[in-house]
Amino acid sequence: MAAAAVLSPPRKNPPMTSAGAFDLTVPEYRPAEIKTYHKATYPRLAPEKSGFKGEGKTVLVTAGATGIGYSIAESFAKAGIAHLVIIQRRQEVLDEAKAALSKGYPKLKITTYAASVTDYPRVSEILKEVGQIDVLVPNAAAAHPMAPTKDLSTAHMDNVFATNVTSPHYMISEFLKLPHTGPKTVIYVSSAAAQLSMATNSIYGASKAAANALITQFARDAAESDVVVQTYHPGAIATPLSKAAGIPDGLLEFEDVRLPGDFAVWLASPEAVFLSGRFVWAQWDVDDILKLKARVEKDDYFLTQSIVV
């Protein structure tokens, strides 16, 4: 039996760096064609050079006012989009994000909604109110305290799966039903936790694995259309979510938050269309990723959560 997923068979934990942090940069955690691992953004990923054409486009990012979501929102702003829509629960952080983005990108139309992504009637209202959306980025996520699986409750399970699985399923489904002219792109922000056996992080990892499987099926259902459905690991990024989960200092060597933002724009470009339904990491060099195209086109299960028997 050979695993078709990105990573080697799960370890008890990832290997450690000399500084005592989990080391996700080792070659065994990526396909052989990926020679370079980036911890920060680089010129090849510059949004204005990505090949993504932002003119006239609308991009919606959930949890786009802070952390990784804000980085994604700003990178699309750099790519010259016309309209940015952000959904986040707290009005104060929405106001702060809108002020900062308006200052940096005065021509950009910015619309914000204070709402929960698990308030499904409200999500439907927002999508219909916005109208045509070109790129949907389900980025909102929930985590749980770092604890052994037996010590995590059904309440933790319900909260994490509602936000990380059910909510993106609902939002993507509603998005795909909306009238639209031209291509549609979905970019789901997943996690390496989907394919790593990391002690104390089991429910979160299971939720991301489930969401990756959903993304693959969304992509396959849309294979004969102009819909592209992407999913990726954004990296080890210090965010409010990682802090709330109680990740200990030194457990991870945090990476540049601009990297997942710029990578998301590249995923929305024509160059990355072949990755629809596959799972990749923002840290993998994009020119190395392009070398995977032949394998992707040959193997329906490569870079997915599936297992080949």
Side-chain angles (χ1 to χ4, degrees):
M1 180 182 294
V6 175
L7 307 179
S8 60
R11 297 167 173 253
K12 188 173 183 180
N13 276 310
M16 310 296 282
T17 68
S18 58
F22 286 158
D23 185 4
L24 302 182
T25 70
V26 293
E28 66 193 89
Y29 283 94
R30 55 185 186 264
E33 292 88 342
I34 307 298
K35 305 299 183 184
T36 303
Y37 184 104
H38 295 277
K39 291 190 173 186
T41 193
Y42 49 102
R44 176 70 168 82
L45 273 189
E48 61 274 17
K49 300 178 181 178
S50 66
F52 170 77
K53 304 298 183 184
E55 295 83 1
K57 287 189 170 63
T58 295
V59 176
L60 188 154
V61 185
T62 66
T66 58
I68 293 167
Y70 183 86
S71 173
I72 293 169
E74 185 170 31
S75 290
F76 275 106
K78 289 178 184 177
I81 64 171
H83 187 193
L84 173 65
V85 182
I86 300 175
I87 300 176
Q88 189 128 352
R89 287 181 298 177
R90 293 181 293 155
Q91 187 64 55
E92 63 270 21
V93 297
L94 283 168
D95 292 342
E96 292 171 3
K98 184 173 182 178
L101 289 165
S102 296
K103 183 178 180 180
Y105 308 93
K107 295 181 180 180
L108 176 63
K109 178 182 177 182
I110 303 172
T111 305
T112 63
Y113 294 94
S116 169
V117 294
T118 58
D119 182 347
Y120 304 126
R122 182 61 180 139
V123 166
S124 292
E125 290 174 356
I126 291 170
L127 292 177
K128 291 175 182 176
E129 184 176 317
V130 174
Q132 178 154 317
I133 300 167
D134 301 284
V135 182
L136 174 70
V137 185
N139 166 68
H144 54 77
M146 299 191 73
T149 306
K150 66 180 179 60
D151 295 332
L152 295 172
S153 68
T154 54
H156 291 131
M157 177 76 78
D158 291 344
N159 178 56
V160 169
F161 268 73
T163 304
N164 299 356
V165 185
T166 309
S167 167
H169 173 265
Y170 182 84
M171 182 172 283
I172 294 169
S173 298
E174 292 297 291
F175 167 62
L176 295 179
K177 294 172 187 174
L178 292 174
H180 192 275
T181 57
K184 287 184 176 183
T185 300
V186 175
I187 302 172
Y188 176 70
V189 181
S190 186
S191 171
Q195 293 181 306
L196 293 173
S197 180
M198 297 179 70
T200 73
N201 205 26
S202 59
I203 291 177
Y204 178 76
S207 74
K208 291 299 186 177
N212 282 353
L214 280 174
I215 291 298
T216 295
Q217 197 55 52
F218 270 123
R220 289 177 176 173
D221 291 348
E224 302 303 320
S225 71
D226 58 358
V227 173
V228 174
V229 190
Q230 308 279 33
T231 179
Y232 77 111
H233 166 55
I237 310 294
T239 67
L241 182 67
S242 64
K243 184 176 181 180
I247 294 178
D249 291 341
L251 182 67
L252 298 170
E253 291 184 352
F254 287 120
E255 297 164 343
D256 178 9
V257 72
R258 293 175 298 171
L259 177 58
D262 290 353
F263 191 83
V265 176
W266 179 77
L267 277 179
S269 74
E271 199 170 47
V273 167
F274 77 98
L275 292 170
S276 186
R278 311 305 173 106
F279 176 60
V280 294
W281 291 25
Q283 292 69 27
W284 298 351
D285 184 81
V286 295
D287 288 318
D288 287 349
I289 291 175
L290 291 172
K291 297 173 185 176
L292 300 173
K293 188 172 183 179
R295 289 183 68 184
V296 167
E297 292 174 344
K298 182 179 179 181
D299 187 346
D300 286 342
Y301 299 100
F302 179 54
L303 301 180
T304 74
Q305 292 288 142
S306 304
I307 295 176
V308 176
V309 179

